[in-house]
Amino acid sequence: GAGVSQSPSNKVTEKGKDVELRCDPISGHTALYWYRQSLGQGLEFLIYFQGNSAPDKSGLPSDRFSAERTGGSVSTLTIQRTQQEDSAVYLCASSPVNRRAFFGQGTRLTVV
Amino acid sequence: AQRVTQPEKLLSVFKGAPVELKCNYSYSGSPELFWYVQYSRQRLQLLLRHISRESIKGFTADLNKGETSFHLKKPFAQEEDSAMYYCALGGIYNTDKLIFGTGTRLQVFP
């Protein structure tokens, strides 16, 4: 593909509902990252994958957040029982072995 | 714990003025430092990395291990440099983990 693709671009959900955010990385990229971007908070590290495994989940804000990656490719970030403070732009990036990250356009999540 | 600090949220300069965006990191190992840029309505993208020792769009950054800094500099700012700039730390304990600072918004006035 042309680059990292994220879907949906925008998601409005009601408080308490579960949401799934999808990331399609660049083919062949071994590392995949999830970040949360909110005003004044910069890029908050959530989790990264090396292949299908997640060596570092320390950035996940709570146990309502989970992520998986399958086939060394597509990743989904799931937020259960969404809260208003979860509203943010969720960015995905992928990288080959040189750790140069290529970012997607992001998913803007709004919890109402 | 590893951390990247960008002390300025906003930096405003006039066209032609020198620019320095500050970045300090906290990491006891051998760091890999990057600067990423996000122009209005565009994706975040790599600007430069310290191991390349390159100058991109007139920007340079030198890793100072003694001061644990990686400040981004440009001698003469241009209006098109207006964007959000993020400093990033990678290669943490030889993993692919990549963490970012809170970013600095650069505004260049005509």
Side-chain angles (χ1 to χ4, degrees):
Chain A
V4 178
S5 178
Q6 292 185 245
S7 60
S9 298
N10 283 283
K11 176 71 176 179
V12 180
T13 189
E14 292 181 351
K15 177 181 172 181
K17 300 277 189 178
D18 298 353
V19 295
E20 275 192 0
L21 312 181
R22 177 187 169 107
C23 174
D24 285 89
I26 294 172
S27 178
H29 280 194
T30 52
L32 185 147
Y33 308 86
W34 283 99
Y35 297 92
R36 182 165 66 178
Q37 186 178 37
S38 49
L39 197 63
Q41 299 299 317
L43 279 169
E44 180 186 2
F45 170 82
L46 298 179
I47 189 171
Y48 88 97
F49 290 89
Q50 182 60 42
N52 290 335
S53 63
D56 191 330
K57 303 180 183 179
S58 63
L60 295 176
S62 74
D63 58 9
R64 297 187 295 105
F65 287 72
S66 63
E68 65 174 13
R69 187 180 186 194
T70 55
S73 181
V74 172
S75 177
T76 54
L77 177 69
T78 302
I79 309 173
Q80 296 178 310
R81 305 181 301 282
T82 51
Q83 304 294 313
Q84 288 188 328
E85 60 262 29
D86 299 335
S87 297
V89 175
Y90 289 83
L91 289 174
C92 174
S94 69
S95 174
V97 294
N98 65 1
R99 289 189 271 269
R100 173 181 174 167
F102 292 80
F103 280 82
Q105 81 282 11
T107 293
R108 181 175 297 278
L109 176 66
T110 304
V111 182
V112 298
Chain B
Q2 305 85 38
R3 176 172 289 187
V4 178
T5 303
Q6 294 180 251
E8 305 137 329
K9 289 190 175 181
L10 175 65
L11 185 62
S12 299
V13 300
F14 286 101
K15 176 183 174 181
V19 169
E20 182 179 50
L21 288 81
K22 291 184 167 51
C23 172
N24 287 88
Y25 65 92
S26 175
Y27 174 54
S28 58
S30 184
E32 293 180 18
L33 276 301
F34 308 80
W35 276 99
Y36 282 77
V37 60
Q38 189 169 29
Y39 301 103
S40 180
R41 291 184 290 278
Q42 292 188 27
R43 298 182 184 203
L44 199 62
Q45 59 186 291
L46 179 68
L47 180 63
L48 55 80
R49 50 195 305 196
H50 90 272
I51 62 171
S52 301
R53 291 189 164 273
E54 57 200 344
S55 174
I56 303 294
K57 299 185 179 182
F59 284 97
T60 59
D62 291 317
L63 175 60
N64 185 323
K65 291 187 178 181
E67 296 183 357
T68 59
S69 68
F70 189 58
H71 303 326
L72 184 67
K73 300 177 183 179
K74 184 168 183 176
F76 307 104
Q78 303 300 313
E79 289 179 69
E80 54 267 29
D81 295 328
S82 295
M84 195 74 181
Y85 291 80
Y86 293 93
C87 183
L89 169 67
I92 299 168
Y93 302 122
N94 206 31
T95 70
D96 285 319
K97 186 175 180 179
L98 186 65
I99 61 174
F100 288 78
T102 51
T104 297
R105 178 166 298 282
L106 175 64
Q107 289 183 331
V108 182
F109 295 109

